[in-house]
Structure formats: C-alpha cells, structure tokens
C-alpha cells in the first residue's frame, strides 16, 4: 500500500491540502504492492458514489498528478506526494 499527502487545485484558489490517499491493488500480481508504490506510468482510475478520478504516477511512484471530482463539486486538479 502507498499513502500520499494530496492537494486539490480549484481554478482561481490555487493548490489546497486534502485528505491522504491510500492505494493497494493486487490481482494475480501487484499493481500497487502491499509494501510499495506503483511504477512510473501506472494510471489508476476510480468511480463510485464517493467520487471519481484518474491519476498517473511519476518518479518511481513517489508522486502523482491527475483529476478528481467529489459529490456536489466540480472536477479539480489532484496531485500527491508519497508519505510512506
């Protein structure tokens, strides 16, 4: 699992801190291993009642950039930096 400190970019409001994002995805092999970060170029997309988004990982999985949209809000820029 990888945990990221995240920020949202709201048009004219600049980057603002958001809640941490934790990711672990495994199937036959680890996409995001239990003890590590995703590889550079890995893209994760999610959609559900709690919101949706799509992010791509860079620099050995130490950071990501993308977009997110949460219930009742418009789409925003979304980025994060690995904390663990």
């Amino acid at each position: 699992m990888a945990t990221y400190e995240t920020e949202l970019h709201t048009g004219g409001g600049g980057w603002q801190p958001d809640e941490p994002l934790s990711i672990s995805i495994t199937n036959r092999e680890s996409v995001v291993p239990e003890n590590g970060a995703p590889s550079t170029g890995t893209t994760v997309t999610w959609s559900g009642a709690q919101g949706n988004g799509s992010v791509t990982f860079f620099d050995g999985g130490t950071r990501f950039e993308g977009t997110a949209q949460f219930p009742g809000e418009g789409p925003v820029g979304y980025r994060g930096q690995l904390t663990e």
Side-chain angles (χ1 to χ4, degrees):
M1 177 171 60
T3 300
Y4 295 83
E5 292 295 327
T6 66
E7 295 179 306
L8 300 173
H9 190 272
T10 57
W15 289 100
Q16 302 171 15
D18 195 43
E19 296 296 317
L21 173 69
S22 296
I23 300 175
S24 176
I25 303 172
T26 58
N27 190 351
R28 292 182 181 181
E29 295 190 30
S30 295
V31 176
V32 180
E34 289 187 31
N35 295 316
S39 301
T40 296
T42 299
T43 297
V44 174
T45 302
W46 67 94
S47 180
Q50 299 301 319
N52 59 71
S54 181
V55 297
T56 301
F57 294 86
F58 301 94
D59 301 329
T62 61
R63 66 182 185 89
F64 70 78
E65 296 179 15
T67 60
Q69 185 170 2
F70 301 99
E73 301 178 9
V76 295
Y78 192 50
R79 69 182 182 186
Q81 186 71 37
L82 185 66
T83 61
E84 297 178 8

